[in-house]
């Protein structure tokens, strides 16, 4: 086979010194190539440069000049999309490129999200109800649905409501205590270990739930504003959990949510919800533990805000179950005794089980031990309940006395109402000081009323005065009258019980001041057009001629009054112990006659319902004390001499037996038939008691 032409091989090593000089030119070429190869290469090129190899010419090697690359070639490359000119020209294409990541995750409609959330929550709720110990971790999944910012508000509400419903079913009837180091290190059975793990998981999940409610109710600045509907829903869930499981852990956190909302004077649906929940908690609390904790938080809040709160907060104390409720229930038959089911019809004969003598003896001993244990538990519960309620009563009275000392006008109504209700529980050592405080309040109210009337007269003389001042003055006068009536009711309620009446003589307590004040105020109350006016439910339309600011001021002042009883009802509550109560002995004839004469006179001026109530009271007076005052209805049996003074401020200075009750003749001609019948009945009773 013929050999091909030999391939010329290139020499890679430099020539030896002994070689021929004819190769000097080749050596030069080799040196140039080696210099090029030894040059450091740069990975990056400058924009617009095109690096090329040197060109061999007859004169030697020449380096070519750098030429800018063609612009068209740049636009054709994949790097051309980053050019600024292309972005300006194709702005729409750039926008589409920026929206591509959002289009990758398509938006789901709100209705679809709600339906999906409902299905997920229903599945999780079913699993938890089937086996809470196994699927306790699903509570964490529900909590994550609420914590995500992208979750719709409706879905968050559904998750919160689902957690509340499940917690109400899962939470046990006892309080779970935290595990100590000994409990964690001790050896227990598998069942006990499983139960402990479940309880600790339940407590941690419930803690996170309550903390989330507190965060939604009062969000931090970092989280941003919370939706108003979600905030209201969180408050509603807190109220629901407090009513459902008041015995469980984190009760204080739920109470703090309600107390913080009650601290605000803004009246809305959330405020009303919290107040009604607090009242229901007080009414349903048997042992007094929850009530004591709630009253402590309320007292702390009131002192921190310097009692600048809405008066209805103090009205919640009227629903407390204090010591007076249980003093008659401590009998052997009623105290916490379970109601036995009464059999309907004939009782079927039960099959007698055969037991040996030893078994019967053991069963008898066991029943005795169980009976002793039940009695011991009952004693402990009663002692604990009395202790809690005594502490609660101390806190409530401390707040009442502090408000009386500060004389806050807006809070006088609920304070006096509370003192009138719990007056029989006040220590007798405080009776004297409390009566003196009530006297000061009445004097202050009378001065305020007189000052308001004087200012009103001055304002009427001046034609340039604004009419709103008259509206505010009338409201202030009405509040002063109500405070005086409440003080009188409280004074009579203090000495209403048997123990208080026995101690009245020893304490030298005298109620003549309150009786005289009540007698003086009868004429003014009868001439008051708002004697049947309730601040919460107005019986008349607002004045159309008054300005809008005057209307708002008058309405705000009227809303601040917590007492829901009309002045006429308060007056009757004062007259009942004055004329009919025998706790302090029979009232003297002069008091009975003076009050009867003045009540018959005021009945002519009162509205129909008030006149009927006054005559009903007079009917009772004539029934019990008719013989002592019958001379007022019969002029031939007049016992007094002189002239009757109808405007005397003192009862003894009226000389009432020198006059007669001529008002009965006018009442017999009254337009209301019921009033006419009541007046005739009173006259018949007086004639029969001659």
């Amino acid at each position: 086979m013929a050999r091909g032409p030999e391939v010329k091989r290139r020499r890679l090593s430099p020539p030896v010194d002994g070689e021929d000089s004819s190769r000097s030119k080749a050596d030069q070429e080799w040196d140039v190539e080696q210099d090029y190869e030894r040059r450091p290469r740069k990975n990056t090129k400058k924009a617009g440069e095109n690096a090329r190899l040197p060109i061999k010419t007859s004169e030697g090697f020449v380096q070519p000049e750098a030429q800018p690359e063609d612009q068209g070639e740049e636009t054709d490359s994949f790097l051309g999309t980053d050019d600024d000119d292309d972005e300006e020209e194709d702005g729409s294409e750039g926008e589409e490129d920026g929206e591509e990541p959002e289009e990758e995750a398509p938006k789901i409609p709100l209705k679809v999200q709600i339906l999906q959330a409902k299905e997920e929550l229903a599945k999780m709720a079913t699993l938890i109800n089937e086996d809470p110990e196994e699927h306790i971790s699903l509570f964490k999944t529900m909590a994550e649905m609420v914590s995500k910012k992208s979750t719709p508000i409706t879905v968050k509400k559904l998750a919160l409501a689902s957690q509340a419903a499940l917690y109400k079913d899962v939470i046990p009837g006892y309080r779970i205590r935290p595990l100590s180091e000994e409990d964690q290190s001790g050896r227990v059975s598998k069942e006990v270990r499983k139960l402990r793990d479940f309880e600790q998981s339940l407590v941690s999940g419930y803690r996170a739930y309550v903390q989330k409610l507190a965060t939604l109710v009062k969000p931090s600045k970092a989280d941003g504003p919370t939706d108003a509907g979600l905030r209201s829903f969180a408050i509603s869930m807190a109220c629901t959990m407090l009513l459902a499981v008041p015995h469980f852990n984190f009760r204080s956190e739920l109470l703090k949510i309600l107390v913080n909302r009650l601290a605000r004077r803004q009246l809305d649906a959330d405020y009303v919800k919290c107040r009604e929940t607090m009242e229901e908690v007080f009414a349903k609390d048997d042992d007094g533990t929850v009530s004591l904790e709630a009253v402590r938080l309320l007292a702390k809040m009131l002192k921190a805000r310097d009692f600048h709160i809405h008066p209805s907060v103090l009205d919640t104390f009227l629903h407390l179950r204090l010591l007076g409720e249980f003093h008659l229930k401590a009998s052997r038959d009623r105290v916490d005794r379970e109601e036995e089911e009464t059999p309907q019809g004939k009782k079927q004969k039960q099959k007698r089980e055969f037991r040996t003598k030893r078994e019967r003896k053991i069963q008898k001993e066991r029943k005795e031990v169980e009976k002793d244990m039940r009695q011991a538990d009952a004693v402990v519960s009663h002692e604990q309940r009395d202790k809690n309620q005594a502490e609660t009563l101390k806190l409530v009275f401390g707040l009442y006395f502090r408000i009386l000392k500060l004389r806050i006008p807006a809070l006088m109504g609920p304070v006096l109402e509370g003192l009138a209700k719990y007056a029989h529980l006040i220590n007798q050592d405080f009776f004297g000081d409390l009566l003196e405080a009530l006297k000061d309040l009445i004097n202050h109210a009378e001065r305020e009323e007189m000052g308001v009337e004087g200012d009103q007269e001055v304002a009427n003389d001046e034609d340039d005065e604004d009419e709103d001042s008259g509206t505010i003055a009338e409201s202030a006068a009405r509040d002063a009258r109500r405070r005086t009536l409440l003080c009188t009711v409280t004074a009579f309620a203090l000495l209403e019980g048997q123990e208080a009446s026995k101690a009245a003589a020893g304490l030298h307590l005298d109620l003549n001041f309150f009786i005289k004040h009540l007698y003086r105020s009868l004429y003014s109350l009868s001439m008051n057009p708002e004697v049947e006016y309730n601040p919460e439910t107005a019986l008349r339309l607002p004045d159309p001629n008054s300005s809008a600011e005057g209307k708002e001021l008058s309405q705000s002042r009227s809303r601040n009054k917590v007492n829901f009883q009309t002045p006429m009802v308060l007056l009757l509550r004062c007259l009942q112990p004055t004329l009919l109560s025998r706790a302090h002995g029979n009232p003297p004839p002069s008091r009975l006659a003076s009050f009867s004469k003045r009540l018959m006179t005021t009945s002519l001026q009162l509205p129909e319902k008030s006149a009927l109530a006054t005559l009903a009271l007079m009917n009772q007076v004539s029934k019990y004390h008719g013989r002592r005052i019958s001379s007022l209805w019969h002029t031939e049996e007049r016992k007094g001499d002189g002239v009757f003074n109808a405007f005397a401020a003192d009862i003894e200075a009226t000389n009432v037996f020198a006059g007669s009750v001529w008002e009965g003749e006018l009442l017999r001609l009254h337009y209301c038939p019921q009033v006419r019948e009541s007046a005739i009945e009173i006259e018949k009773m007086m004639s029969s008691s001659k």
Side-chain angles (χ1 to χ4, degrees):
M1 190 173 177
R3 296 176 63 184
E6 295 182 358
V7 179
K8 186 178 181 181
R9 296 184 178 178
R10 195 171 178 180
R11 186 176 179 179
L12 299 178
S13 60
V16 187
D17 297 339
E19 288 187 358
D20 193 10
S21 61
S22 61
R23 292 182 169 266
S24 60
K25 192 174 182 180
D27 294 341
Q28 292 177 0
E29 293 179 1
W30 186 86
D31 292 336
V32 172
E33 292 179 359
Q34 290 298 314
D35 291 339
Y36 177 78
E37 294 291 336
R38 291 173 181 172
R39 286 180 191 172
R41 267 75 166 176
K42 295 183 178 180
N43 296 327
T44 58
K45 300 178 182 178
K46 295 182 180 181
E49 291 186 356
N50 188 13
R52 297 181 181 180
L53 295 174
I55 301 172
K56 183 179 180 182
T57 60
S58 58
E59 298 178 356
F61 289 91
V62 180
Q63 185 71 28
E65 296 180 358
Q67 297 179 0
E69 295 182 356
D70 193 4
Q71 298 292 332
E73 294 179 357
E74 284 189 6
T75 56
D76 294 338
S77 63
F78 69 95
L79 298 175
T81 55
D82 297 333
D83 196 6
D84 297 335
D85 297 336
D86 294 339
E87 290 182 359
E88 294 178 359
E89 294 176 358
D90 301 332
S92 61
E93 294 179 0
E95 293 177 359
E96 292 178 358
D97 295 339
E99 293 178 356
E100 285 181 0
E102 297 180 0
E103 293 179 356
E104 292 178 358
K107 294 183 179 180
I108 303 174
L110 181 60
K111 292 184 178 180
V112 178
Q113 293 183 20
I114 294 172
L115 290 175
Q116 292 177 357
K118 286 182 179 180
E119 293 178 357
E120 293 178 3
L121 292 172
K123 292 178 182 178
M124 288 187 287
T126 304
L127 293 174
I128 293 173
N129 287 326
E130 289 178 355
D131 192 356
E133 296 182 359
E134 185 69 24
H135 303 93
I136 192 66
S137 60
L138 294 177
F139 281 111
K140 188 177 181 181
T141 306
M142 293 183 180
E144 292 176 354
M145 296 176 66
V146 183
S147 302
K148 290 182 180 179
K149 295 183 179 180
S150 60
T151 306
I153 296 175
T154 307
V155 178
K156 291 183 179 180
K157 292 180 180 180
L158 290 173
L160 290 174
S162 302
Q163 291 181 78
L166 291 172
Y167 278 125
K168 287 193 293 184
D169 296 336
V170 175
I171 287 176
Y174 54 89
R175 187 181 181 91
I176 300 175
R177 64 176 180 84
L179 295 177
S180 61
E181 295 181 358
E182 296 179 358
D183 296 336
Q184 295 177 0
S185 61
R187 298 181 63 181
V188 294
S189 61
K190 187 177 180 181
E191 290 79 10
V192 174
R193 178 68 64 183
K194 185 178 180 181
L195 180 61
R196 285 182 177 179
D197 294 341
F198 168 72
E199 290 179 347
Q200 297 304 316
S201 301
L202 179 63
V203 169
S204 62
Y206 188 66
R207 182 195 297 113
Y209 178 70
V210 174
Q211 290 176 354
K212 188 61 180 179
L213 292 179
T215 305
L216 293 175
V217 171
K218 189 179 179 181
S220 60
K221 296 182 180 180
D223 298 336
T226 306
D227 185 72
L230 187 59
R231 186 184 299 108
S232 301
F233 193 80
I235 293 174
S236 178
M237 290 296 101
C239 296
T240 303
M241 296 307 300
L242 184 60
L243 291 175
V245 287
H247 63 280
F248 198 60
N249 303 52
F250 312 107
R251 178 180 60 222
S252 302
E253 284 73 10
L254 295 175
L255 288 172
K256 287 179 182 179
I257 294 174
L258 272 66
V259 171
N260 291 333
R261 183 59 191 88
L262 292 175
R264 300 171 57 189
R265 302 191 63 174
Q266 182 183 359
L267 292 179
D268 52 4
D270 298 338
Y271 181 90
V272 175
K273 178 71 174 177
C274 293
R275 188 189 64 195
E276 292 178 352
T277 303
M278 194 69 71
E279 293 175 356
E280 192 172 354
V281 167
F282 289 159
K284 292 183 177 180
D285 189 17
D286 293 331
D287 56 355
T289 305
V290 185
S291 300
L292 177 59
E293 191 172 355
V295 172
R296 281 176 177 171
L297 291 175
L298 287 172
K300 186 177 179 181
M301 182 267 293
L302 292 172
K303 293 177 183 179
R305 293 184 60 85
D306 294 332
F307 299 96
H308 294 297
I309 48 98
H310 196 271
S312 60
V313 177
L314 294 177
D315 202 33
T316 57
F317 294 156
L318 300 176
H319 298 268
L320 287 169
R321 301 176 66 180
L322 297 179
L323 297 172
E325 182 184 356
F326 304 100
H327 73 285
L328 297 176
K329 296 184 179 181
S331 62
R332 182 174 174 271
D333 299 328
R334 293 193 177 186
V335 170
D336 293 340
R337 188 170 181 177
E338 298 180 359
E339 297 180 358
E340 297 180 356
E341 297 181 359
T342 56
Q344 300 288 337
K346 189 176 180 180
K347 187 177 180 181
Q348 297 181 358
K349 187 177 180 180
Q350 297 180 357
K351 188 177 180 180
R352 188 174 180 181
E353 186 179 356
F354 175 77
R355 293 187 181 92
T356 60
K357 186 176 180 179
R358 185 176 180 180
E359 290 177 351
R360 290 197 299 270
K361 184 179 179 181
I362 293 172
Q363 188 179 9
K364 185 178 179 181
E365 293 176 354
R366 189 177 297 167
K367 287 183 180 180
E368 291 178 356
V369 172
E370 291 177 355
K371 183 179 179 181
D372 294 339
M373 291 296 294
R374 286 197 300 269
Q375 292 178 357
D377 292 340
V379 170
V380 172
S381 63
H382 287 308
E383 290 178 355
Q384 185 65 28
R385 180 174 60 189
D386 293 342
K387 183 179 178 181
N388 293 334
Q389 291 179 353
E391 191 68 22
T392 305
L393 188 64
K394 183 191 277 186
L395 291 172
V396 171
F397 281 151
L399 292 174
Y400 285 168
F401 294 154
R402 188 181 293 269
I403 294 172
L404 286 177
K405 186 178 180 180
L406 296 174
R407 292 182 180 180
I408 304 173
L411 304 180
M412 285 294 117
V415 168
L416 295 173
E417 282 281 336
L419 289 175
K421 183 175 182 181
Y422 304 121
H424 61 286
L425 301 175
I426 300 176
N427 193 349
Q428 296 176 4
D429 298 335
F430 298 104
F431 280 4
D433 297 335
L434 186 57
L435 290 177
E436 292 296 328
L438 295 176
K439 290 178 183 179
D440 294 340
L441 287 174
I442 291 177
N443 293 328
H444 181 73
E446 287 182 346
R447 289 194 300 269
E448 183 180 352
E449 187 176 355
M450 294 298 293
V452 168
E453 290 178 357
D455 296 339
Q456 191 174 1
E457 290 178 359
V458 174
N460 292 332
D461 294 337
E462 299 177 359
D463 298 333
D464 298 335
E465 285 289 329
D466 193 10
E467 294 181 358
D468 297 340
S469 61
T471 305
I472 299 173
E474 292 177 0
S475 175
R478 182 175 64 248
D479 298 342
R481 297 189 195 101
R482 293 173 66 86
R483 287 202 300 271
T484 56
L485 290 173
L486 283 171
C487 289
T488 308
V489 172
T490 305
F492 282 109
L494 284 175
L495 305 178
E496 194 64 30
Q498 294 181 358
E499 297 180 359
S501 63
K502 292 179 182 179
L507 294 172
H508 302 287
L509 301 178
D510 190 10
L511 299 180
N512 288 328
F513 174 83
F514 302 96
I515 295 173
K516 291 179 181 179
H517 169 73
L518 184 62
Y519 182 75
R520 291 195 304 266
S521 61
L522 285 177
Y523 283 152
S524 61
L525 287 172
S526 64
M527 300 298 293
N528 184 15
E530 297 179 348
V531 70
E532 295 182 351
Y533 175 77
N534 194 337
E536 297 293 331
T537 56
L539 300 178
R540 55 185 174 83
L541 296 174
D543 187 7
N545 297 323
S546 62
S547 63
E549 296 179 359
K551 290 179 183 178
E552 293 179 359
L553 288 174
S554 61
Q555 290 176 2
S556 62
R557 286 186 66 89
S558 63
R559 288 195 202 101
N560 290 336
K561 302 297 159 287
V562 184
N563 186 9
F564 301 103
Q565 295 177 345
T566 62
M568 193 63 203
V569 175
L570 295 176
L571 177 61
L572 293 174
R573 287 181 61 184
C574 297
L575 292 172
Q576 285 281 349
T578 303
L579 302 177
L580 299 176
S581 179
R582 298 184 180 181
H584 318 290
N586 288 328
S590 60
R591 183 195 302 178
L592 291 172
S594 300
F595 272 96
S596 299
K597 172 65 176 176
R598 188 159 289 193
L599 286 175
M600 294 296 290
T601 306
T602 56
S603 299
L604 299 173
Q605 310 296 331
L606 290 172
E608 178 184 345
K609 294 182 180 179
S610 300
L612 286 173
T614 305
L615 293 177
L617 178 64
M618 284 301 305
N619 194 352
Q620 295 179 6
V621 172
S622 61
K623 181 179 179 182
Y624 291 104
H625 308 287
R627 187 174 296 178
R628 304 171 68 186
I629 59 175
S630 61
S631 60
L632 294 176
W633 275 262
H634 307 285
T635 56
E636 65 273 6
E637 297 182 2
R638 184 176 299 175
K639 297 181 180 181
D641 297 329
V643 181
F644 169 67
N645 186 7
F647 299 100
D650 198 358
I651 296 175
E652 287 76 11
T654 57
N655 195 12
V656 63
F657 287 105
S660 62
V661 182
W662 51 264
E663 293 85 358
E665 298 296 327
L666 296 179
L667 291 172
R668 294 175 65 179
L669 303 175
H670 201 271
Y671 68 91
C672 180
Q674 296 177 353
V675 175
R676 295 198 297 265
E677 293 175 0
S678 299
I680 294 171
E681 187 177 355
I682 292 172
E683 290 183 0
K684 289 181 180 179
M685 203 168 287
M686 287 297 177
S687 60
S688 63
S689 60
K690 256 177 153 181

